Amino acid sequence: MENYDLDLRSVQEARNLARMGKVAAEQIADFSEEKINRILCNMVKAAKENAVSLAKMAVEETGFGKVEDKTYKNHLASAILYDAIKDMKTIGVIHEDADSKVIDIAEPVGLVMGIVPSTNPTSTTIFKSMIAIKSRNAIVFSPHPSASKCTMSAARLMHEAAVAAGAPANIISCISMPTLDATNALMDSKEVKMIIATGGPGMVKASYSAGKPALGVGAGNCPAYIERTAKVHQAVSNILASKTFDYGTICASEQSVIVEECNRDQVVAEFKMQGGYFMSAEETAKVCSLLFKNGHAMNAKFVGRSPQVIASAAGFSVPEGTRVLIGEQQGVGPEYPLSYEKLTSVLAFYTVKDWHEACELCIKLLQNGIGHSMSIHTEDHDMVMKFAKKPAARILVNTGSTQGAVGASTGLLPSFTLGCGTWGGSSVSENVSPMHLINIKRVAYGIKDCSTLASNDPTFNYPELSCGCAPVNCTGNSYESTPSYASKSGSADNEQLLKLINGLIDAMKGGQN
């Protein structure tokens, strides 16, 4: 009965937050760019002052990742993001074409629902709050139950900072009693106009089934190909910096390393030198039994964990300084569990003959995280363009895929919601930004006289409209009329032409007998 009461209370809370959020959305819709920037600056200030404390809360509550890396995530989601979006036009006239006389005007979408994962709870909350305010929207969050406290704290912090700078009350809110019923109530709420879903495949699918616009992201399974021309030391350094960042909790982190036979020994030696531990077949099997349950579903107990924690739980020890566990694999699929996504300090390792085999292997691996990201380390631009054909929305070159995909080490927009395109069942393929949270209406002036459109159009050439002849066939750049076999009443010429044609047809038939 107590659980039933909690469900009722959580649903009522969700409904109340949606109603209040709608009012806030209507109020902020008329804010000027100056007001919005003042609010954002205060949110950035609050995020920076509390970046470390929020990171500590996230690690303590979830057990995932590292405080220093979660702190940087919070910094990326606030200060670095603000620098990237501060000059972005999201209010009023955002574009005007003087020649075509079309004016683009940005309007907010209204109340947005943000679904937050347990792997990046505070940074995702800060990020979505920032892009919502930049586009003059209100946002209400549905946290993951295992990260509800830190998500709630981040949302409250962002709300207090926004209101202190002039934002309406209830502009940013969060469910304090997260239940599935409460989340569904928000999704189905008439006040919520759009959903931004960052989380597991089930939650993303539910978001797209809510009957309203949704921005969802798919799972990642990023392969990293070290091509024969790569600078091996730097490639391994980037991969380890990426995979060990927050112990691999970002879905864009590398999941598999692919090398060629010609550089295998060099790559293996470099990984060992920089802290990679190559597990035996027996150790790999033990780790796989820990990491996965119900097929290839990741065991939450080992998400975002250090290699020491994982190895100890599997019953073996690793050298001091080990940064990641590496297991060699011979294929892709259920028999090779490491070929799936592993949001922790474990990598699969593959050896291929050449780039052709690497291509085929990358495509197979990407089927388990299709549309997300992949990385290639090479000095050959032509090779980059060959791999740019792979089914991934982000092809990252000579950088760690974690930092590259979220826009920390590349020119991509900083984002914690990474679209996977139609490959991964996502409505967007780029990094989600404030531009995805606006409606664009267009003011279009007439530039042609409606009464003379046809007569003044030199390409509008249909002789049969004026002479009553047959439709025209286009042969190259010339037009050739096709005879009609239907009689036209009241036209002697047509009757005479019909008799002639019928006579020719009879003659042809006679010649065939």
Side-chain angles (χ1 to χ4, degrees):
M1 193 67 178
E2 184 179 350
N3 289 336
Y4 181 71
D5 289 341
L6 173 64
D7 290 343
L8 280 178
R9 287 186 286 120
S10 67
V11 169
Q12 188 61 55
E13 180 191 32
R15 291 173 178 170
N16 292 341
L17 292 176
R19 294 188 188 106
M20 293 186 293
K22 179 187 177 185
V23 173
E26 292 171 347
Q27 292 172 337
I28 200 173
D30 294 324
F31 276 33
S32 65
E33 186 174 350
E34 181 183 1
K35 283 186 176 181
I36 292 297
N37 283 336
R38 183 165 62 245
I39 294 168
L40 288 172
C41 285
N42 206 44
M43 292 169 67
V44 170
K45 180 175 179 290
K48 290 185 70 174
E49 290 174 351
N50 294 273
V52 177
S53 61
L54 287 174
K56 288 180 178 178
M57 286 182 65
V59 172
E60 289 171 3
E61 185 175 7
T62 65
F64 302 160
K66 310 174 189 175
V67 170
E68 57 270 31
D69 290 344
K70 287 193 182 297
T71 300
Y72 188 79
K73 286 181 182 180
N74 293 336
H75 179 70
L76 177 67
S78 53
I80 295 176
L81 173 66
Y82 177 72
D83 285 339
I85 67 175
K86 63 183 179 182
D87 296 324
M88 190 178 286
K89 292 185 177 182
T90 58
I91 300 173
V93 176
I94 60 175
H95 179 70
E96 186 169 358
D97 190 322
D99 294 330
S100 64
K101 292 188 177 181
V102 174
I103 303 171
D104 293 354
I105 300 176
E107 296 286 358
V109 298
L111 177 61
V112 176
M113 176 185 178
I115 298 175
V116 183
S118 57
T119 47
N120 307 296
T122 58
S123 52
T124 301
T125 303
I126 294 170
F127 165 74
K128 290 183 179 179
S129 297
M130 292 281 292
I131 65 172
I133 295 298
K134 176 65 177 176
S135 48
R136 294 180 300 166
N137 296 298
I139 187 164
V140 54
F141 288 105
S142 174
H144 192 284
S146 67
S148 60
K149 292 180 181 178
C150 61
T151 301
M152 185 75 182
S153 295
R156 185 184 298 115
L157 182 74
M158 290 294 94
H159 178 258
E160 291 174 353
V163 171
N170 306 306
I171 194 69
I172 299 168
S173 59
C174 181
I175 295 174
S176 64
M177 296 175 283
T179 65
L180 184 58
D181 287 339
T183 299
N184 288 334
L186 273 184
M187 285 185 181
D188 296 335
S189 167
K190 64 181 181 181
E191 289 86 4
V192 169
K193 301 303 180 184
M194 177 178 281
I195 302 169
I196 315 179
T198 309
M203 188 59 70
V204 172
K205 184 177 180 180
S207 299
Y208 279 121
S209 303
K212 59 190 63 179
L215 300 172
V217 298
N221 194 32
C222 181
Y225 172 40
I226 304 179
E227 193 260 345
R228 64 181 62 197
T229 66
K231 295 178 180 178
V232 172
H233 173 80
Q234 190 60 48
V236 171
S237 176
N238 280 329
I239 291 171
L240 285 174
S242 172
K243 186 59 177 175
T244 61
F245 183 80
D246 207 29
Y247 289 140
T249 54
I250 289 183
C251 54
S253 62
E254 291 86 349
Q255 304 300 317
S256 305
V257 174
I258 302 168
V259 302
E260 298 183 45
E261 290 178 349
C262 63
N263 65 5
R264 172 191 160 83
D265 291 345
Q266 184 184 3
V267 172
V268 169
E270 193 64 48
F271 263 109
K272 289 180 178 179
M273 187 180 301
Q274 294 192 37
Y277 176 78
F278 283 80
M279 298 180 289
S280 66
E282 182 182 359
E283 290 169 339
T284 299
K286 289 180 179 179
V287 165
C288 287
S289 67
L290 288 177
L291 296 187
F292 303 101
K293 59 181 183 179
N294 300 325
H296 55 268
M298 184 80 188
N299 185 344
K301 291 182 180 180
F302 296 99
V303 170
R305 303 290 179 169
S306 70
Q308 288 76 17
V309 167
I310 297 171
S312 176
F316 63 93
S317 60
V318 294
E320 185 178 350
T322 294
R323 300 169 66 192
V324 68
L325 304 178
I326 304 173
E328 297 213 41
Q329 300 288 283
Q330 306 301 321
V332 177
E335 296 180 2
Y336 306 95
L338 294 189
S339 65
Y340 293 91
E341 184 183 51
K342 306 163 291 298
L343 297 182
T344 197
S345 308
V346 179
L347 281 169
F349 192 88
Y350 293 90
T351 303
V352 297
K353 291 182 179 179
D354 52 28
W355 73 268
H356 294 283
E357 280 194 11
C359 261
E360 294 175 4
L361 179 56
C362 283
I363 291 173
K364 290 178 181 178
L365 289 166
L366 284 169
Q367 299 310 303
N368 299 320
I370 192 164
H372 203 291
S373 309
M374 74 157 291
S375 64
I376 178 171
H377 300 265
T378 181
E379 297 300 304
D380 186 343
H381 177 72
D382 290 339
M383 191 62 64
V384 171
M385 299 315 295
K386 286 182 174 69
F387 275 76
K389 297 180 180 180
K390 300 297 170 290
R394 280 156 291 275
I395 309 296
L396 306 158
V397 184
N398 295 336
T399 187
S401 62
T402 295
Q403 295 89 340
V406 301
S409 65
T410 63
L412 297 178
L413 186 89
S415 180
F416 282 93
T417 302
L418 311 179
C420 299
T422 55
W423 301 292
S426 179
S427 59
V428 293
S429 58
E430 60 268 32
N431 288 11
V432 171
S433 78
M435 297 305 293
H436 294 98
L437 303 186
I438 61 173
N439 290 311
I440 299 178
K441 62 183 181 184
R442 291 179 171 83
V443 176
Y445 284 79
I447 57 176
K448 297 178 182 179
D449 188 338
C450 295
S451 64
T452 60
L453 285 176
S455 59
N456 289 335
D457 185 350
T459 65
F460 189 75
N461 183 12
Y462 299 91
E464 66 271 25
L465 292 177
S466 58
C467 70
C469 298
V472 294
N473 285 334
C474 178
T475 56
N477 292 324
S478 62
Y479 290 86
E480 179 182 316
S481 61
T482 304
S484 170
Y485 296 96
S487 174
K488 307 293 184 182
S489 61
S491 174
D493 291 340
N494 283 345
E495 290 180 4
Q496 195 171 10
L497 180 61
L498 184 59
K499 289 180 181 180
L500 178 60
I501 291 173
N502 288 335
L504 287 171
I505 291 174
D506 290 340
M508 291 171 65
K509 287 181 178 179
Q512 292 173 354
N513 291 335

